C-alpha cells in the first residue's frame, strides 16, 4: 500500500514539473512577443493624436472652449488627459487670455497666469485690479460685474481712469449696489481706448460729458432719472459704426430732430425707455432688422407709420396703461414684421378684435403684419389657463380666426406651462393650439415639437 502511494506522489510531481516547464517556456514566449510588439509600436510611431504638431493640437483644443472668456472648465479637462496635452496648454499664451481675479485669488497663481498670457488678456474682473493694472497695454476685454459697495467701485474707477489701453476692444461695467450715480469713466476716449468696439455702462452713470466713440459696434447705456437730461443727440451722433444699440432708463426731456441720427450699419435696437418714439423718429437705419421696445403709449407710433418696413423681428414689452384704441398705430409702424416676441399677458392686447367697420378692422391688430411667420409667446403660466375655458383664451381664438379667414398658418413658439401636477390640462391646451398652428414648446436650450 505504501509503495502505491509513493508511485502516485512521484507521478504527480512529474506532472507538475512538466506543467512548470511548459509555463516557463510559455512565459518566455510571451515576453519575447511583448518585446517584439513594443519594437513594432516604436517603429510605427506614437498614436496619431500624439504625432500632431503642437500648433495643430493647440488649434484643436481651442474648439473645445465655447467661450474664450470662460475657459477654466474645458482647460481643466484637457490638461488632465496627458503630460503632453498639459504642456501644450501651459505653454500656449492663447489659452491664458482670460484671467479671473477674485478676493481669494492666490497671488502666485495669478502671476503664473499673467506670465503664460504673454500677449493678449481677456480680463474678467470681480473686485480689485492691483495685480493686472501693470498689464493694461495687453488687455483686450475688461468686464466688471458684481454686487459691490460704493468704496470698491470708486477704487476701481480711480485705478482705471488714468490708463491707456490701446488694444482694449470690450469694456463692460454692470454692477449693482446702494450708491449714487457714478461718474463716467474718464479713460473712455479715442486717446486712451482707440480700439474700443463694445461698451456697456450699467447701472446709471452720469453721462453729461460722455461721447460715444466712432469705433463702437455695440453700445449698452443706462440713463439715470435726473432733472436735467444729458445731451443724447450729441452723445450718440459720432457712433456711425454701431450694429447694436441698447438704451435703458429715463428718456424724458430728450431732444431730437426727425431723421437726424444716421446709423448705416445698425441691425439691432433695444429701447427700455419711457418714450421710445422720439428716438425712433430721429434715427435713419437702413439695415435695422430687430427692434425690442417698451410700450407705454402706442398712440405715439402714429407719427412713424410705415417707417420701419425692413424690421423683420419685433419684441414688445407693454405697460398696463396701454389702451386698446392705440394698438393699430404700433402695428402700422412696423409693417414688414415676420416674427413677434410677446409675453403671454400682453398677447390679448394684440390678438383680440377691434370692433369697427371694415374687414381688416374686424381682425386683431397683429394680423396687420401681413408677412408674419412666427409668434414667440413667453412666460406662459398655469394662471393663464385658469383665467379661461380651454379653447376660449385669446391665443387659441386668434389662431382659429386666422384659419377660418384663410390666413397663412403660423409657427408659434411657446414657453412650457408650469402647471404643477395638472399635466392633462396643459396637454389639452397644446393639442388645441396644434390644430391651428405649427407649435413648438421651447426652453432656453431645448425646443420640442
Amino acid at each position: 500500500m505504501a509503495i502505491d502511494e509513493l508511485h502516485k506522489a512521484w507521478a504527480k510531481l512529474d506532472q507538475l514539473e512538466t506543467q512548470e516547464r511548459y509555463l516557463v517556456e510559455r512565459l518566455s514566449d510571451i515576453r519575447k512577443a511583448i518585446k517584439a510588439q513594443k519594437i513594432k509600436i516604436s517603429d510605427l510611431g506614437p498614436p496619431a493624436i500624439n504625432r500632431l504638431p503642437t500648433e495643430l493640437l493647440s488649434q484643436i483644443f481651442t474648439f473645445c472652449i465655447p467661450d474664450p472668456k470662460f475657459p477654466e472648465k474645458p482647460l481643466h479637462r484637457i490638461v488632465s488627459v496627458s503630460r503632453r496635452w498639459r504642456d501644450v496648454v501651459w505653454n500656449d499664451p492663447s489659452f491664458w487670455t482670460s484671467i479671473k481675479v477674485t478676493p481669494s485669488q492666490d497671488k502666485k497663481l495669478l502671476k503664473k497666469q499673467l506670465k503664460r498670457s504673454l500677449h493678449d488678456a481677456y480680463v474678467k474682473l470681480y473686485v480689485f485690479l492691483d495685480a493686472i493694472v501693470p498689464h493694461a497695454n495687453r488687455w483686450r476685454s475688461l468686464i466688471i460685474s458684481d454686487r459691490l459697495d460704493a468704496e470698491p467701485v470708486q477704487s476701481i474707477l480711480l485705478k482705471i481712469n488714468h490708463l491707456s489701453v490701446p488694444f482694449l476692444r470690450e469694456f463692460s461695467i454692470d454692477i449693482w449696489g446702494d450708491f449714487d450715480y457714478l461718474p463716467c469713466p474718464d479713460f473712455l476716449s479715442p486717446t486712451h481706448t482707440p480700439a474700443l468696439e463694445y461698451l456697456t455702462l450699467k447701472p446709471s452713470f452720469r453721462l453729461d460729458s460722455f461721447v460715444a466713440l466712432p469705433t463702437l459696434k455695440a453700445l449698452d447705456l443706462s440713463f439715470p432719472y435726473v432733472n436735467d437730461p444729458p445731451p443724447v443727440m450729441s452723445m450718440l451722433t459720432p457712433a456711425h459704426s454701431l450694429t447694436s444699440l441698447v438704451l435703458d432708463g429715463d428718456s424724458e426731456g430728450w431732444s431730437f430732430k426727425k431723421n437726424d441720427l444716421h446709423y448705416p450699419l445698425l441691425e439691432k435696437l433695444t429701447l427700455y425707455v419711457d418714450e421710445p418714439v422720439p428716438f425712433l423718429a430721429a434715427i435713419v437705419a437702413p439695415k435695422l432688422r430687430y427692434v425690442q421696445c417698451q410700450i407705454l403709449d402706442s398712440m405715439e407710433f402714429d407719427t412713424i407709420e410705415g417707417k420701419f418696413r425692413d424690421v423683420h423681428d419685433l419684441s414688445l414689452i407693454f405697460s398696463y396703461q396701454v389702451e386698446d384704441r392705440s394698438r393699430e398705430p404700433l402695428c402700422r409702424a412696423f409693417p414688414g414684421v415676420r416674427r413677434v416676441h410677446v409675453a403671454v399677458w400682453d398677447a390679448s392686447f394684440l390678438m383680440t378684435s377691434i370692433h369697427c367697420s371694415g374687414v381688416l378692422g374686424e381682425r386683431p391688430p397683429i394680423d396687420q403684419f401681413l408677412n408674419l411667420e412666427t409668434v414667440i409667446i413667453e412666460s406662459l403660466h398655469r394662471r393663464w389657463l385658469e383665467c379661461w375655458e380651454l379653447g376660449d383664451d385669446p391665443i387659441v381664438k386668434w389662431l382659429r380666426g386666422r384659419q377660418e379667414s384663410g390666413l397663412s398658418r403660423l409657427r408659434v413658439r411657446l414657453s412650457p406651462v408650469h402647471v404643477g401636477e395638472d399635466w392633462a390640462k396643459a396637454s389639452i391646451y397644446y393639442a388645441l393650439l396644434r390644430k391651428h398652428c405649427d407649435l413648438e414648446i421651447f426652453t432656453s436650450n431645448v425646443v420640442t415639437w
Side-chain angles (χ1 to χ4, degrees):
M1 184 66 67
I3 295 175
D4 292 339
E5 291 294 331
L6 182 60
H7 285 311
K8 291 180 180 179
W10 280 106
K12 182 64 175 177
L13 177 60
D14 184 61
Q15 181 183 9
L16 292 173
E17 289 177 340
T18 301
Q19 291 179 357
E20 181 187 24
R21 287 192 297 272
Y22 170 77
L23 292 175
V24 169
E25 292 174 358
R26 180 62 179 153
L27 179 60
S28 178
D29 292 340
I30 291 174
R31 286 174 175 169
K32 291 178 182 178
I34 290 173
K35 185 177 180 180
Q37 195 68 19
K38 287 181 177 180
I39 294 173
K40 182 178 180 180
I41 291 173
S42 179
D43 292 340
L44 292 174
I49 188 68
N50 289 334
R51 296 201 301 271
L52 293 176
T54 298
E55 295 78 8
L56 182 57
L57 196 59
S58 290
Q59 189 173 359
I60 293 172
F61 291 163
T62 61
F63 293 114
C64 302
I65 304 174
D67 187 343
K69 297 178 187 177
F70 302 94
E72 295 90 350
K73 289 184 178 180
L75 282 182
H76 179 74
R77 291 193 291 267
I78 291 171
V79 299
S80 64
V81 172
S82 69
R83 179 179 295 178
R84 184 181 181 230
W85 286 24
R86 182 186 62 194
D87 291 342
V88 168
V89 169
W90 281 3
N91 294 318
D92 189 334
S94 65
F95 295 117
W96 300 99
T97 58
S98 174
I99 302 170
K100 182 183 294 184
V101 182
T102 67
S104 60
Q105 177 80 0
D106 183 270
K107 194 169 185 178
K108 291 183 179 179
L109 178 59
L110 178 60
K111 288 183 176 180
K112 286 182 179 179
Q113 292 176 334
L114 290 169
K115 185 178 180 180
R116 291 171 185 158
S117 70
L118 292 180
H119 300 295
D120 299 337
Y122 281 109
V123 183
K124 179 70 175 180
L125 176 63
Y126 284 108
V127 182
F128 301 107
L129 296 168
D130 289 341
I132 57 175
V133 162
H135 305 273
N137 64 321
R138 289 156 42 194
W139 292 356
R140 295 297 183 273
S141 177
L142 177 61
I143 302 173
I144 305 171
S145 176
D146 209 340
R147 182 175 183 87
L148 301 173
D149 295 328
E151 185 175 348
V153 173
Q154 296 295 337
S155 176
I156 289 172
L157 294 176
L158 286 173
K159 289 180 185 296
I160 66 177
N161 268 337
H162 70 284
L163 296 178
S164 178
V165 196
F167 301 109
L168 188 70
R169 295 180 64 248
E170 177 184 10
F171 176 62
S172 174
I173 180 165
D174 188 357
I175 54 181
W176 58 99
D178 297 325
F179 40 73
D180 296 329
Y181 300 126
L182 300 169
C184 187
D186 295 335
F187 81 110
L188 296 175
S189 68
T191 304
H192 292 86
T193 52
L196 192 65
E197 296 180 349
Y198 306 93
L199 175 61
T200 297
L201 293 179
K202 291 184 176 182
S204 301
F205 285 79
R206 293 195 292 271
L207 300 174
D208 303 54
S209 59
F210 171 77
V211 177
L213 302 178
T215 54
L216 288 176
K217 294 181 179 179
L219 177 61
D220 187 340
L221 293 179
S222 183
F223 291 85
Y225 287 85
V226 293
N227 294 327
D228 297 321
V232 180
M233 187 75 182
S234 59
M235 176 193 304
L236 299 179
T237 296
H240 294 297
S241 298
L242 285 177
T243 60
S244 175
L245 176 61
V246 179
L247 302 179
D248 184 5
D250 181 22
S251 63
E252 186 176 354
W254 287 5
S255 178
F256 298 106
K257 294 180 180 179
K258 189 175 182 180
N259 298 330
D260 208 30
L261 278 175
H262 292 263
Y263 299 118
L265 304 178
L266 188 66
E267 299 174 358
K268 298 178 65 176
L269 175 64
T270 299
L271 298 174
Y272 296 122
V273 295
D274 306 298
E275 300 175 2
V277 173
F279 186 82
L280 290 170
I283 65 169
V284 177
K287 291 190 175 182
L288 187 62
R289 298 294 180 268
Y290 172 85
V291 172
Q292 184 173 31
C293 195
Q294 179 174 282
I295 310 298
L296 297 180
D297 181 6
S298 58
M299 280 298 292
E300 296 181 354
F301 285 82
D302 219 7
T303 61
I304 56 171
E305 179 176 342
K307 180 175 182 178
F308 296 99
R309 296 182 181 278
D310 293 325
V311 170
H312 299 157
D313 201 341
L314 184 63
S315 181
L316 300 174
I317 304 170
F318 290 95
S319 166
Y320 68 91
Q321 299 171 340
V322 178
E323 300 178 5
D324 286 352
R325 64 184 177 87
S326 64
R327 295 179 291 180
E328 288 186 308
L330 170 63
C331 298
R332 289 197 294 264
F334 304 94
V337 164
R338 299 175 186 173
R339 182 163 64 174
V340 172
H341 307 245
V342 66
V344 67
W345 296 107
D346 297 328
S348 59
F349 176 84
L350 288 175
M351 297 175 183
T352 54
S353 299
I354 297 176
H355 299 291
C356 61
S357 60
V359 175
L360 183 61
E362 295 173 355
R363 296 297 309 150
I366 194 171
D367 286 338
Q368 295 196 34
F369 296 135
L370 300 181
N371 298 318
L372 190 62
E373 298 171 356
T374 303
V375 178
I376 301 173
I377 302 174
E378 300 177 349
S379 305
L380 189 61
H381 197 275
R382 61 181 177 83
R383 291 197 301 272
W384 174 263
L385 300 183
E386 293 171 354
C387 289
W388 314 92
E389 294 291 333
L390 282 174
D392 198 42
D393 70 289
I395 300 174
V396 174
K397 291 175 68 175
W398 165 61
L399 291 170
R400 184 167 59 239
R402 281 185 62 91
Q403 190 175 49
E404 292 172 352
S405 300
L407 298 178
S408 59
R409 188 177 179 91
L410 299 178
R411 183 173 75 153
V412 174
R413 301 188 67 211
L414 196 68
S415 62
V417 184
H418 301 289
V419 293
E421 298 180 357
D422 193 5
W423 290 106
K425 192 169 186 178
S427 298
I428 295 172
Y429 186 64
Y430 293 154
L432 288 171
L433 290 172
R434 286 191 178 96
K435 288 182 179 180
H436 311 297
C437 70
D438 297 326
L439 181 66
E440 297 177 6
I441 309 300
F442 73 92
T443 63
S444 57
N445 297 315
V446 180
V447 176
T448 58
W449 283 263

